[in-house]
Amino acid sequence: MEYPNIKSVFAQPLLLFILLISNNGSAVDTKISENHHDRAEAYTEVLKPGKKQTINRLIKKYMADNKIPGMAVAIVTNPKKPVIWSKGYGVKSLVSNERVTRNTSFWLASISKVVVGTAIAKAQEDGYLYLDQEIQNLLTGDNFNIDNPGSSPITIRDLVTHSSGIKDGTAYQCSYYIDHGDGTHTKLVNLIEPGLCPDSSPITLDGFLGAYLDSEGEFYDSSSNYTGLPPGQGYKYSNIAAALAGYAVELSTSLTLAEYAEQEIFSPLGMHNTSWNFSKLNQSNLAAPHTTLDNTLSAIPFYELATWPDGGLRSSASDMAKFLATIMNEGTFFSRKSEVRILEPGSVTQMLTPIQNGFGIFWYSDWLWNYGGKDHILIGHNGAEIGYFSYMVFNPKDNVGVILLANTDRGDKIESIEELIKDLFEATQVRRQPVSGL
């Protein structure tokens, strides 16, 4: 079953061709190889006896069949004393052929949203905001207006359940840009249609949201940017709405979402390869985006997103395994040396419990999968963007979670990737006794 996600308008052959040219990168034959230097063996207790080689074979076959240069995978079990199996496969870039490890940072795409949801749950717990708060009331005179033709005020609850009445219109494509590192940038869409998005148009979060949501903004279009339905009365998956929810954290805490998440989530959990800020990550440790044109796989330029909360987080399989183990264990992460709580159990329960449209606070909590001859309800999110795809799901009944990150497009291979994820669940050794954690 496909999770309701938004495919980028940039996944078009002509634009991909132009991106390849702009990167001046020659096509390289796909060469998938297992990373033998990744110390996944330390955590093989998570797999059933005899399943390690089977999983390695399945992952490498999937990568070869789908021309995926690099992947990182993690499995989490027994979150009260977490056992984490995490491993990298293939290469970060076909240009350099440097190997992926469990610590390589990938663009997470829409998995970013559940981290936004976790930050919102934390901000609510700390008294900075609440779900039924009207987002317009957080905006001051120096900000923008939300000129929703659906008339009724939009709440944070509406945003996190994709029922706000905001939708991703054609102007959303103007949020993607290449940063040249010298104070200039190029909008990606202008590579295919020069001038469609003025390069002078905003690339900051507040600037882009104002241009899109305010009737005086340069991207405003009431019919293209809004459904016209009153908030809470219709489902429409929206990246813009998710970005606005992330901005609500900034408005209420006086920190950017990136700063608040670093302070309250990433740093306490030791997620050292995770950030919304590209410049704060180890550039040599990033998985480059790749895409396929006429069966030839090539690296394309790193790009950025003005509405970065909705999909611009970068992280590693190892870091996200810590994060997922924490959520699975009601907000607490146990390592060999310490115990860290980032959320109270009640906050986690509220965040994961469906409110509307199957969503809690951005976590999709009504995902039916069949594996092992049984139906299972999984909780999590997936992501898809030009050059990347990602999955992070867990089974709350068995307390098993799976993370999968890749540095090329998902394309139309969702059924086969879900089969691989099911294989990972089926290969898991669910341990009931305390074991050594990280």
Side-chain angles (χ1 to χ4, degrees), residues 116-180:
V116 176
T118 305
I120 288 173
K122 178 62 176 176
Q124 179 176 242
E125 184 176 282
D126 290 344
Y128 289 115
L129 53 72
Y130 55 96
L131 290 184
D132 290 320
Q133 191 167 13
E134 296 178 9
I135 187 69
Q136 184 65 59
N137 290 342
L138 288 173
L139 298 167
T140 67
D142 295 332
N143 294 112
F144 51 85
N145 291 315
I146 301 174
D147 292 320
N148 178 18
S151 67
S152 300
I154 296 172
T155 67
I156 295 175
R157 184 186 301 271
D158 298 325
L159 297 174
V160 301
T161 58
H162 296 288
S163 57
S164 66
I166 298 171
K167 64 179 181 177
D168 295 343
T170 55
Y172 178 65
Q173 62 194 326
C174 297
S175 64
Y176 295 82
Y177 65 96
I178 296 175
D179 188 341
H180 301 303

Side-chain angles (χ1 to χ4, degrees), residues 233-398:
Q233 294 191 18
Y235 168 79
K236 188 66 176 178
Y237 188 95
S238 173
N239 291 293
I240 292 288
L244 182 59
Y247 187 51
V249 175
E250 178 173 331
L251 294 171
S252 60
T253 66
S254 298
L255 296 172
T256 68
L257 170 66
E259 293 168 340
Y260 188 73
E262 174 65 31
Q263 174 181 293
E264 301 295 338
I265 302 172
F266 306 151
S267 181
L269 295 180
M271 297 171 65
H272 302 303
N273 297 299
T274 304
S275 182
W276 264 289
N277 292 322
F278 182 81
S279 62
K280 291 189 175 182
L281 292 166
N282 180 351
Q283 305 298 294
S284 66
N285 192 41
L286 299 176
H290 296 74
T291 196
T292 302
L293 181 67
D294 295 331
N295 295 317
T296 301
L297 192 68
S298 295
I300 61 175
F302 286 106
Y303 58 89
E304 296 299 320
L305 188 59
T307 60
W308 50 267
D310 72 69
L313 184 64
R314 291 178 171 92
S315 186
S316 67
S318 180
D319 278 6
M320 292 308 291
K322 295 177 184 179
F323 172 76
L324 184 58
T326 303
I327 301 305
M328 291 166 61
N329 193 39
E330 300 182 307
T332 299
F333 180 73
F334 289 95
S335 69
R336 289 192 181 106
K337 298 180 179 179
S338 64
E339 170 186 337
V340 178
R341 175 172 292 282
I342 64 167
L343 279 176
E344 294 298 323
S347 296
V348 176
T349 298
Q350 182 189 36
M351 182 175 71
L352 301 182
T353 301
I355 300 171
Q356 191 172 351
N357 307 315
F359 288 94
I361 303 179
F362 280 130
W363 288 78
Y364 191 66
S365 305
D366 195 19
W367 212 346
L368 180 65
W369 291 49
N370 183 282
Y371 60 87
K374 298 180 180 178
D375 286 336
H376 303 266
I377 297 295
L378 303 185
I379 299 174
H381 215 291
N382 70 345
E385 198 54 86
I386 181 171
Y388 299 97
F389 72 82
S390 56
Y391 274 77
M392 183 175 72
V393 289
F394 75 95
N395 186 329
K397 183 176 180 181
D398 292 338

Side-chain angles (χ1 to χ4, degrees), residues 58-126:
L58 289 171
I59 291 173
K60 288 189 287 183
K61 183 179 186 303
Y62 178 82
M63 292 174 67
D65 289 348
N66 295 285
K67 298 182 179 179
I68 298 173
M71 288 179 64
V73 179
I75 302 174
V76 180
T77 67
N78 194 28
K80 293 184 182 300
K81 294 281 186 179
V83 180
I84 295 173
W85 179 87
S86 184
K87 192 166 186 175
Y89 297 83
V91 295
K92 302 172 188 174
S93 170
L94 291 174
V95 175
S96 68
N97 282 318
E98 294 179 357
R99 293 183 180 275
V100 171
T101 76
R102 58 196 176 105
N103 295 314
T104 300
S105 297
F106 288 72
W107 179 288
L108 297 187
S110 285
I111 288 181
S112 305
K113 293 179 177 65
V114 298
V115 182
V116 176
T118 305
I120 288 173
K122 178 62 176 176
Q124 179 176 242
E125 184 176 282
D126 290 344

Side-chain angles (χ1 to χ4, degrees), residues 19-47:
L19 284 172
L20 298 181
I21 294 174
S22 70
N23 195 37
N24 294 318
S26 59
V28 181
D29 290 338
T30 308
K31 189 174 183 179
I32 303 302
S33 60
E34 180 183 346
N35 184 354
H36 295 285
H37 303 289
D38 204 3
R39 295 183 64 252
E41 290 77 8
Y43 307 105
T44 52
E45 303 98 324
V46 76
L47 299 177

